């Protein structure tokens, strides 16, 4: 039976029917505020402005007395937008009056939160829905080509050079964590950032990211001599995750971060739409509650502008770079510094983190697109759009195929972590669009007529579509990418055990908490071997809940600490400022820690969710613990005893 070798260091360390109009390629189509004819459906019938009465007093009758003048003005605007269904047949004055006012307050809120208001929102939606229903090709007029970027191989001369360059620039960096998601897809009822990255350290994703930032911050303080230097963190939450995220920060004393360096920004939702006329929807069974849906993680750019944070970081804090990262990819900590070095070296305004991607893999691909008018852009193209786009292009008739020399597609896989040059970024999000990136619609049609939906839809936006906004505001923006090995930089925890098992069966990474944890251990084993020469034995693959994972030896390092371990379980703690620890020739032999299966499925209600979503649990039988509690230089030898180093006398 395998026993784990554990080292925990607590020191610093497809949319197939979705449609988006590429307005950035040429003049943006004008959206009239009042009168415009739109083409709907395959029949291309012209829908004129609603002939319904636009006078809210006439429509609402005595109920108009309930509303303020601002609310009456909004009602008038909505009536011109063919939203009369929101106001017809209101019960007489004195019946459900508070509910009527509540509906108007909801409409006011979404009108004020969306840049340009509901008028622009409905106008955009109608245009996009018309194009989607007509089956228009969003890439009409574009020619794809292999993009230009940087490929880095861990540990080689170029990698080390870029990492060193990135460390020099890190003092001028800010972080943005996109954390709007719940863990429902994983089979977890809480927020994803509170999930433990691994069962060895039991540290949450948010706490791990905080330790990463603190470790980098300390290195920057040491390098600059500025011991007041802070690296700011912004966290984008949603209505579902905002309160739990704030509560988690409070309960953990902001994970060691200063309150002043953390900003939580909650994204707004947008109105749901019932049909191609972009009619707003109320909740089923409650006509007084507006149905809203998430707008997508592309909201982060608008929030950084609206909150003034982008300008503050640039003008007041002197930051030059901003790194956007996702909530449950623990390996991203290895990617930042080399990626930052590439951005500095190549003078990138935006740099996307990529991994080698096999042709047909269900992942977006970074692609260079050239429009017939000569405009070019480097951007993410979804995998199900890339292949037909390539097949229609001379020279790519075979579609998305692997390069026989590398075994990978020439179009690298986008993992949706972005690094931007803040002076350029702040200009882009401060433009007329106020940081709203190009939106798309993804309606699920009820039938072939493409006129009705199975369920309400909405406008959506994606963080990685930032190049489209940059192209509109700053046509000369330099956009590129950095590709690094997948084992080093990308293993998200996004799938429940059954989905992870199905992915593994199909030959794809499981993308589950179990595989993510295993890949963390695996990456650290490789790094220890390459960086220190330590010999770390590779374990045997096990299968938990249908997912093949190699969990042993389970080695966990904090972001800025490295040490070796041997046989059994070893926990090393060296988090005291001014303390160093060297471990020399230590051999550990004890009962160790053991990974054992955990029951999953309907009969596993008594099993904690953090075990169910992995398919296993960790039994911590026995461990040697070495803890440094005082400043100074310390050493542990083969006897396992902690001693303070004796300075040599001259």
């Amino acid at each position: 039976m395998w026993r784990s070798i554990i080292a925990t260091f607590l020191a610093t360390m497809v949319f197939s029917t979705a449609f988006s109009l590429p307005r950035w390629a040429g003049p943006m189509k004008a959206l009239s505020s009042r009168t415009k004819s739109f083409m709907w459906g395959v029949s291309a019938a012209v829908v004129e402005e609603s002939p319904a009465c636009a006078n809210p007093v006439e429509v609402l009758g005595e109920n108009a007395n309930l509303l303020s003048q601002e609310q009456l003005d909004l009602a008038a605007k909505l009536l011109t937008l063919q939203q009369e269904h929101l106001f017809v047949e209101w019960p007489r004055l004195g019946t459900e009056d508070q509910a009527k006012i509540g509906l108007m307050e909801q409409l006011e809120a979404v009108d004020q939160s969306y840049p340009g208001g509901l008028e622009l929102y409905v106008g955009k939606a109608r245009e996009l829905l018309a194009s989607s229903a007509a089956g228009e090709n969003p890439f009409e007029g574009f020619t794809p080509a292999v993009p230009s970027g940087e490929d880095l191989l861990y540990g080689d001369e170029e990698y080390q050079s870029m990492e060193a360059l990135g460390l020099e620039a890190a003092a001028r960096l800010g972080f943005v964590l996109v954390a709007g998601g719940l863990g429902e897809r994983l089979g977890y009822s809480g927020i994803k950032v509170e999930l433990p990255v691994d069962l060895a350290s039991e540290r949450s994703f948010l706490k791990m990211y905080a330790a990463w930032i603190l470790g980098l911050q300390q290195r920057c303080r040491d390098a600059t001599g500025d011991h007041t230097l802070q690296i700011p963190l912004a966290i984008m939450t949603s209505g579902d995750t905002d309160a739990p995220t704030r509560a988690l920060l409070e309960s953990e004393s902001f994970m060691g971060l200063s309150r002043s360096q953390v900003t939580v920004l909650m994204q707004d939702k947008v109105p749901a739409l019932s049909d191609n006329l972009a009619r707003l929807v109320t909740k089923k069974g409650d006509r007084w509650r507006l149905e809203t849906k998430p707008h997508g993680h592309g909201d982060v750019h608008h929030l950084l502008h609206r909150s003034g944070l982008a300008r503050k970081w640039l003008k007041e804090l002197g930051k030059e770079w901003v790194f956007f990262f996702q909530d449950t990819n623990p390996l991203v900590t290895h990617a930042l510094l080399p990626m930052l070095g590439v951005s500095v070296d190549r003078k990138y305004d935006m740099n996307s983190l990529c991994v080698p991607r096999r042709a047909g893999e269900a992942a977006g691909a970074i692609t260079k697109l050239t429009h017939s008018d000569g405009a070019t852009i480097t951007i993410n193209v979804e995998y199900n759009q890339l292949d037909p786009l390539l097949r229609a292009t001379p020279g790519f008739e075979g579609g998305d195929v692997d390069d026989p020399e590398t075994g990978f597609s020439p179009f690298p896989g986008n993992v949706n972590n972005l690094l931007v040059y803040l002076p350029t970024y702040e200009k882009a999000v401060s433009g007329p669009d106020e940081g709203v990136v190009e939106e798309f619609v993804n309606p699920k049609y009820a039938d072939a007529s493409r006129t009705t939906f199975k369920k309400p839809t909405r406008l959506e936006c994606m963080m990685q579509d930032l190049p489209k906004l940059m192209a509109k505001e700053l046509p000369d923006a330099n956009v590129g990418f950095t590709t690094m090995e997948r084992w080093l930089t990308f293993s998200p925890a996004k799938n429940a055990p059954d989905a992870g098992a199905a992915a593994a069966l199909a030959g794809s990474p499981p993308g589950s908490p179990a595989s993510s944890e295993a890949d963390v251990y695996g990456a650290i084993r490789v790094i220890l071997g390459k960086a220190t020469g330590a010999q770390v034995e590779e374990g045997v693959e096990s299968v938990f809940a249908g997912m093949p994972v190699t969990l042993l030896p389970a080695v966990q390092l904090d972001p800025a600490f490295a040490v070796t371990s041997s046989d059994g379980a070893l926990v090393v703690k060296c988090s005291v400022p001014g303390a160093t620890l060297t471990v020399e020739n230590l051999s550990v032999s004890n009962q160790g820690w053991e990974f054992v299966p955990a029951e999953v499925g309907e009969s596993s209600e008594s099993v904690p969710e953090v075990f169910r979503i992995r398919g296993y649990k960790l039994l911590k039988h026995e461990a040697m613990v070495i803890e440094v509690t005082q400043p100074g230089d310390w050493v542990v030898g083969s006897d396992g005893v902690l001693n303070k180093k004796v300075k040599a006398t001259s």
Side-chain angles (χ1 to χ4, degrees):
M1 178 183 298
W2 277 89
R3 300 290 184 184
S4 61
I5 302 175
I6 310 280
T8 302
F9 302 101
L10 303 179
T12 57
M13 265 205 43
V14 200
F15 40 90
S16 58
T17 58
F19 197 90
S20 171
L21 288 176
R23 300 184 187 87
W24 45 266
M28 184 175 179
K29 297 181 180 180
L31 288 172
S32 168
S33 62
R34 282 289 185 269
T35 58
K36 178 176 173 64
S37 295
F38 294 91
M39 305 300 290
W40 303 115
V42 293
S43 62
V46 176
V47 176
E48 301 292 346
E49 185 182 81
S50 171
C53 176
N55 186 338
V57 176
E58 293 184 28
V59 174
L60 294 172
E62 59 182 355
N63 282 304
N65 294 317
L66 291 170
L67 309 184
S68 67
Q69 186 57 53
E70 291 78 10
Q71 290 173 335
L72 288 172
D73 291 342
L74 176 58
K77 179 166 64 175
L78 290 168
L79 288 170
T80 66
L81 294 172
Q82 299 174 282
Q83 307 293 332
E84 61 275 1
H85 61 286
L86 296 172
F87 306 107
V88 296
E89 298 182 357
W90 276 22
R92 61 183 298 177
L93 188 67
T95 303
E96 299 186 274
D97 288 350
Q98 288 304 311
K100 299 167 190 173
I101 295 171
L103 174 62
M104 288 307 305
E105 289 175 344
Q106 293 172 69
L107 290 166
E108 282 185 300
V110 294
D111 183 58
Q112 292 167 9
S113 65
Y114 187 84
L118 285 171
E119 197 165 22
L120 184 59
Y121 181 79
V122 170
K124 285 182 179 181
R126 286 178 174 176
E127 187 177 17
L128 290 168
L129 287 165
S131 299
S132 176
E136 294 180 10
N137 178 8
F139 294 106
E140 185 69 34
F142 291 91
T143 301
V146 176
S148 174
E150 186 75 37
D151 294 328
L152 295 180
L153 187 65
Y154 176 77
D156 69 7
E157 185 176 346
E158 180 70 6
Y159 180 96
Q160 294 181 49
S161 174
M162 291 300 101
E163 188 175 49
L165 191 58
L167 184 57
E168 291 177 9
R172 302 182 298 279
L173 179 70
F175 287 81
V176 177
L177 171 61
V178 179
L182 294 170
E184 294 170 333
R185 183 177 172 184
L186 297 166
Y188 182 69
S189 58
I191 56 175
K192 289 193 288 183
V193 293
E194 73 177 354
L195 277 170
V197 176
D198 60 87
L199 299 184
S201 70
E202 300 181 356
R203 183 166 44 197
S204 70
F205 276 95
L206 187 54
K207 194 164 188 176
M208 185 207 72
Y209 293 141
W212 173 36
I213 293 170
L214 286 168
L216 185 59
Q217 179 175 279
Q218 187 59 50
R219 296 195 67 174
C220 291
R221 287 179 173 183
D222 293 342
T224 63
D226 179 3
H227 295 288
T228 65
L229 183 150
Q230 288 188 339
I231 295 179
L233 168 66
I235 304 173
M236 186 181 80
T237 61
S238 66
D240 294 325
T241 66
D242 187 72
T245 300
R246 293 176 188 272
L248 180 60
L249 285 167
E250 291 288 348
S251 68
E252 297 277 355
S253 301
F254 279 70
M255 316 293 176
L257 296 165
S258 167
R259 287 175 179 269
S260 63
Q261 73 185 109
V262 180
T263 304
V264 180
L265 302 170
M266 186 177 76
Q267 66 179 136
D268 301 304
K269 292 185 178 181
V270 293
L273 308 169
S274 66
D275 55 26
N276 281 343
L277 286 176
R279 290 190 176 97
L280 308 188
V281 184
T282 55
K283 294 279 188 181
K284 188 175 182 179
D286 187 352
R287 66 170 301 179
W288 307 118
R289 290 182 60 206
L290 192 67
E291 183 169 347
T292 57
K293 291 176 175 282
H295 193 214
H297 48 52
D299 267 353
V300 67
H301 305 303
H302 171 62
L303 286 175
L304 288 177
H305 166 69
R306 188 177 75 184
S307 66
L309 205 60
R311 174 169 286 272
K312 177 182 178 181
W313 285 6
L314 176 66
K315 302 295 185 182
E316 298 180 24
L317 302 185
K319 302 303 178 183
E320 293 184 357
W321 304 96
V322 179
F323 184 60
F324 297 83
F325 63 109
Q326 301 288 333
D327 47 12
T328 55
N329 174 28
L331 295 183
V332 72
T333 58
H334 303 147
L336 171 62
L337 291 181
M339 187 181 178
L340 179 54
V342 169
S343 288
V344 172
D345 185 61
R346 289 203 171 210
K347 296 180 171 59
Y348 280 152
D349 294 302
M350 173 178 159
N351 187 358
S352 295
L353 176 62
C354 294
V355 295
R357 170 185 161 276
R358 298 198 184 279
E361 183 179 338
I366 300 297
T367 309
K368 180 180 179 182
L369 298 176
T370 302
H371 194 257
S372 56
D373 65 5
T376 63
I377 191 168
T378 298
I379 197 163
N380 177 77
V381 175
E382 292 301 317
Y383 73 97
N384 57 342
Q385 296 175 318
L386 178 64
D387 189 69
L389 177 63
L390 291 173
R391 290 181 184 277
T393 303
F396 291 101
E397 291 85 357
D400 184 23
V401 296
D402 289 332
D403 183 325
E405 292 187 8
T406 65
F408 294 101
S409 169
F411 298 91
N414 174 36
V415 301
N416 213 14
N417 293 275
L418 313 178
L419 184 64
V420 301
Y421 182 54
L422 187 52
T424 302
Y425 177 82
E426 198 274 333
K427 288 180 183 177
V429 299
S430 298
D433 289 308
E434 300 181 42
V436 178
V437 296
E438 185 177 296
E439 296 156 297
F440 63 92
V441 288
N442 188 18
K444 306 300 182 185
Y445 294 108
D447 52 44
S449 70
R450 302 171 76 87
T451 56
T452 57
F453 309 151
K454 293 181 180 179
K455 60 181 180 180
T457 190
R458 83 281 197 185
L459 292 187
E460 300 179 64
C461 59
M462 297 190 295
M463 183 174 73
Q464 62 266 36
D465 281 341
L466 177 63
K468 298 178 183 179
L469 181 63
M470 284 187 161
K472 290 168 63 178
E473 306 293 346
L474 302 163
D476 296 327
N478 186 12
V479 178
F481 65 88
T482 302
T483 299
M484 284 183 265
E485 297 146 291
R486 186 185 294 258
W487 67 263
L488 179 69
T489 62
F490 186 60
S491 183
K494 61 181 183 179
N495 291 326
D498 55 349
L505 192 62
S508 298
S512 68
S515 61
S516 181
E517 176 173 3
D519 289 344
V520 167
Y521 299 147
I524 293 173
R525 291 195 295 266
V526 174
I527 290 170
L528 280 174
K530 290 180 177 290
T532 70
Q535 295 182 354
V536 184
E537 182 181 357
E538 189 67 19
V540 176
E541 183 178 87
S542 302
V543 177
F544 293 102
M547 296 174 290
V549 290
T550 302
L551 293 165
L552 300 173
V555 185
Q556 175 60 290
L557 301 179
D558 236 54
F561 197 80
V563 75
T564 61
S565 63
S566 188
D567 189 19
L570 170 67
V571 178
V572 178
K573 301 180 181 181
C574 184
S575 57
V576 178
T580 67
L581 174 65
T582 302
V583 180
E584 297 177 343
N585 303 315
L586 177 63
S587 177
V588 177
S589 180
N590 55 45
Q591 292 297 307
W593 296 355
E594 180 185 6
F595 291 96
V596 298
E599 189 177 1
V600 298
E602 296 181 359
S603 61
S604 61
E605 293 300 322
S606 62
V607 178
E609 286 180 331
V610 295
F611 300 147
R612 269 189 281 159
I613 63 176
R614 285 173 163 81
Y616 56 82
K617 56 187 176 181
L618 178 59
L619 302 181
K620 297 183 177 181
H621 299 296
E622 183 183 5
M624 173 185 286
V625 178
I626 299 171
E627 182 173 9
V628 176
T629 59
Q630 299 178 14
D633 298 323
W634 301 83
V635 62
V636 173
S638 58
D639 57 2
V641 177
L642 178 66
N643 292 296
K644 199 164 189 177
K645 283 186 178 180
V646 178
K647 293 184 178 180
T649 56
S650 56

